Amino acid sequence: MACSLLPTTTLLLLIFLFPTFVESAIRHYNFTVVMKNTTKLCSSKSIATINGKFPGPTLYAREDDTVNVRVSNNIQYNVTIHWHGVRQLRTGWSDGPAYITQCPIQPGQSFLYNFTLTGQRGTLLWHAHISWLRTTIHGAIVIFPKKGVPYPFPKPDKEKLIILSEWWKADTEAVINQAMQTGLPPNISDSHTINGHVGPATGCTSQGYTLHVEPGKTYLIRLVNAAINDELFFKIAGHNLKIVEVDASYTKPFTTDTIFIGPGQTTNALLTTDQATGKYLIAVSPFMDTIVAVDNVTAIAFLRYKDTLAFSPPVLTSTPAINATAVTSKFMDNLRSLNSKKYPANVPLTVDHYLYFTIGVGINSCPTCVNGSKSVGNINNVSFVMPSTALLQAHYYNISGIFTDDFPANPLVPFNYTGNFTGGISTMNGTRLFRIAFNSTVQIVLQGTGIIAPESHPIHLHGFNFFAIAKGVGNFDLVNDPKKFNLVDPVERNTISVPTGGWTAIRFRADNPGVWFLHCHLEVHTSWGLKMAFVVDNGKGPNESLPPPPSDLPQC
């Protein structure tokens, strides 16, 4: 009797639902970058994808597993993949940001990413980390606990993955290239997507996404914001969500009807299907509490109970106002580390480096641009200039002339950061890094500015989790604000939203040698230069040192 091979996705699910079936410490994946013709909003275009999928394939692994992903580039663009939130302990060569830890994978070339998921469990994401390719090259990372280790919350009956994103009718590489040439802000997206579906849109019918559920069950919703420029609200009509994890770190559970999630962030929530049989609206809407243009189209999908009649009218819900700052603040205030005996919050209580980083947007001269000027992002008034040689290689091989390690620890010219600004709006340019010794402790106050317009900035740190110990509105007060620091159970994350016209304080321990990117996860701001990097020197011995690069590391 002939036997048929199980599809790869089915086999992977069997591995994790029935771990005695297969147990392996190394997970192998093949990612092939290919162009794919795709139609959405009644408009077709060719998009860059992994294995022809949008969103891309999900990586499944367990805590402490090693993951090997062979990425083969079969498109005309250079490509890299970043494993967003993966600690990359001593595996910085596999972190993925172009010209920071590696040169990009050129057309026709491949690279093997090799990393271990040390001490992490939950949901993360992966995405392209060059130009704007992450608009369509992205997917989820699902990290199950070690075999035999339970969740620190009631075991769900089932799990559902929901990836939020944005969609442009235009070619997004053309969108950002045009913006950089003209000096004008890039065009906003035409729609948000839910698991790749745009849903119903004006003048264009679409099936949309349906979340099928059974009554009386508990579902673990793994929510990923893979959008590139939008912070988002997520709601399910008639249902509450119990938050249990963000950015692959467990939290104290709390119940809410609205999730606030920035680009690059992930949230796990328990959904109990305790309502009457029917169809319930799922709404995804943007947050923007300033004068910046944003895609203000609400994406919709439906949660559908088993045995719901075919044409049942949906139960509706209202979305938060686009400028619902209070909703975002309440959600972030409720986030606390679980801080249990098994999952402690190891907040650094002493600090070696006190850093004060102003973040925002300025205007620099640009004779070839439309208005003779261009928008630039900056940290401490430094707009980051991307090198032509990867910084990690320059650091490892001690190549001079690629970067300097004199990034300012404080604003060079103090001013009223969130008040009426009367100074110059131009920035300095440079590839300037901040050097720290292995195992140093670092506190960064991320201070928003209002030079052009105050704005919420989701800031992402590569190579580390950090603890968000406080936030506030206005300028950070060095005397009074530290009194409200939470050094007991602050939320542990890899990406945090700095409030509009305000500040956020974070702490981390630099226990990972290498070069690590810090940048705004709004891709428009990253493109404009709102980014910098840390150099973490080696410690003592091989276990505290960066190993040599892999033999197939791409060359520039």
Side-chain angles (χ1 to χ4, degrees), residues 55-294:
T58 301
L59 292 188
Y60 292 96
R62 289 193 182 278
E63 178 184 349
D64 291 344
D65 278 355
T66 294
V67 178
N68 286 341
V69 186
R70 168 70 65 186
V71 176
S72 302
N73 183 10
N74 288 357
I75 66 173
Q76 71 270 35
Y77 303 112
N78 289 342
V79 172
T80 69
I81 303 291
H82 169 52
W83 318 96
H84 185 113
V86 172
R87 283 291 318 275
Q88 297 289 0
L89 287 165
R90 298 180 58 249
T91 53
W93 303 108
S94 287
D95 190 43
Y99 302 105
I100 306 299
T101 60
Q102 69 166 98
C103 299
I105 306 167
Q106 297 176 34
Q109 303 297 310
S110 70
F111 177 50
L112 180 67
Y113 289 93
N114 180 5
F115 53 89
T116 300
L117 298 165
T118 305
Q120 294 183 280
R121 77 298 300 169
T123 308
L124 295 171
L125 72 153
W126 57 263
H127 58 78
H129 210 303
I130 184 169
S131 190
W132 274 29
L133 290 180
R134 74 175 169 104
T135 53
T136 56
I137 297 181
H138 61 250
I141 306 172
V142 172
I143 312 168
F144 294 98
K146 285 187 257 190
K147 185 180 175 183
V149 176
Y151 292 124
F153 47 81
K155 183 180 179 182
D157 297 297
K158 294 183 179 181
E159 301 190 0
K160 298 286 187 177
L161 177 64
I162 298 178
I163 300 175
L164 312 178
S165 185
E166 290 175 89
W167 185 263
W168 279 257
K169 291 182 182 179
D171 175 0
T172 50
E173 290 302 282
V175 169
I176 184 57
N177 288 341
Q178 181 185 36
M180 297 304 282
Q181 289 170 9
T182 62
L184 301 175
N187 292 336
I188 59 173
S189 55
D190 296 296
S191 176
H192 296 103
T193 64
I194 303 173
N195 279 351
H197 297 273
V198 294
T202 304
C204 188
T205 58
S206 173
Q207 181 179 358
Y209 171 69
T210 300
L211 177 64
H212 293 280
V213 298
E214 299 174 27
K217 303 286 187 183
T218 298
Y219 292 81
L220 181 66
I221 303 295
R222 297 178 179 270
L223 187 66
V224 175
N225 185 354
I228 73 163
N229 289 322
D230 288 353
E231 297 178 299
L232 297 169
F233 294 116
F234 177 87
K235 290 187 72 174
I236 302 177
H239 293 75
N240 284 327
L241 296 155
K242 182 178 284 187
I243 310 301
V244 293
E245 176 251 304
V246 294
D247 292 3
S249 295
Y250 292 134
T251 64
K252 288 183 172 67
F254 71 93
T255 300
T256 180
D257 67 350
T258 304
I259 291 175
F260 171 60
I261 185 166
Q265 291 184 331
T266 58
T267 301
N268 280 8
L270 295 175
L271 166 72
T272 301
T273 49
D274 54 5
Q275 299 300 301
T277 296
K279 188 167 71 168
Y280 295 81
L281 184 75
I282 299 173
V284 174
S285 60
F287 167 67
M288 177 57 71
D289 59 350
T290 188
I291 56 172
V292 175
V294 68

Side-chain angles (χ1 to χ4, degrees), residues 12-87:
L12 285 168
L13 286 173
L14 284 172
I15 290 171
F16 293 109
L17 292 174
F18 307 100
T20 53
F21 178 71
V22 177
E23 182 64 23
S24 172
I26 302 179
R27 311 290 178 186
H28 296 277
Y29 287 87
N30 287 310
F31 277 17
T32 303
V33 191
V34 294
M35 301 302 292
K36 172 84 170 180
N37 286 327
T38 308
T39 301
K40 295 185 191 301
L41 301 176
C42 296
S43 178
S44 298
K45 67 173 182 175
S46 186
I47 62 171
T49 68
I50 299 296
N51 300 348
K53 298 180 181 295
F54 172 75
T58 301
L59 292 188
Y60 292 96
R62 289 193 182 278
E63 178 184 349
D64 291 344
D65 278 355
T66 294
V67 178
N68 286 341
V69 186
R70 168 70 65 186
V71 176
S72 302
N73 183 10
N74 288 357
I75 66 173
Q76 71 270 35
Y77 303 112
N78 289 342
V79 172
T80 69
I81 303 291
H82 169 52
W83 318 96
H84 185 113
V86 172
R87 283 291 318 275

Side-chain angles (χ1 to χ4, degrees), residues 321-498:
I322 189 170
N323 62 347
T325 309
V327 177
T328 69
S329 187
K330 180 182 178 183
F331 183 85
M332 290 192 288
D333 286 344
N334 280 330
L335 289 171
R336 291 282 188 271
S337 285
L338 186 59
N339 194 28
S340 64
K341 186 175 180 180
K342 185 172 179 60
Y343 303 104
N346 295 317
V347 188
L349 300 181
T350 60
V351 175
D352 298 314
H353 298 279
Y354 288 93
L355 307 179
Y356 191 58
F357 285 0
T358 59
I359 54 176
V361 174
I363 301 289
N364 282 0
S365 173
C366 176
T368 60
C369 294
V370 171
N371 297 320
S373 63
K374 63 179 180 180
S375 300
V376 289
N378 67 86
I379 302 177
N380 279 353
N381 205 43
V382 178
S383 288
F384 188 85
V385 176
M386 290 292 272
S388 55
T389 297
L391 296 175
L392 189 58
Q393 285 175 288
H395 165 60
Y396 184 84
Y397 292 111
N398 200 24
I399 304 171
S400 62
I402 306 300
F403 68 87
T404 58
D405 57 7
D406 59 350
F407 190 89
N410 295 279
L412 298 179
V413 180
F415 61 97
N416 182 3
Y417 307 113
T418 57
N420 292 325
F421 182 72
T422 58
I425 56 176
S426 62
T427 70
M428 299 179 288
N429 298 321
T431 310
R432 302 168 69 176
L433 279 57
F434 192 91
R435 186 178 294 272
I436 44 184
F438 181 85
N439 220 33
S440 294
T441 52
V442 182
Q443 175 180 298
I444 311 175
V445 174
L446 298 160
Q447 174 71 63
T449 65
I451 294 178
I452 302 300
E455 188 174 349
S456 176
H457 295 276
I459 300 295
H460 172 47
L461 176 63
H462 290 228
F464 304 95
N465 280 358
F466 54 74
F467 292 96
I469 57 176
K471 67 179 177 67
V473 176
N475 299 331
F476 177 73
D477 185 326
L478 187 58
V479 175
N480 294 310
D481 284 333
K483 297 174 184 175
K484 62 185 181 185
F485 283 180
N486 175 7
L487 303 179
V488 177
D489 63 350
V491 68
E492 184 177 353
R493 306 207 73 146
N494 62 62
T495 306
I496 190 76
S497 288
V498 178

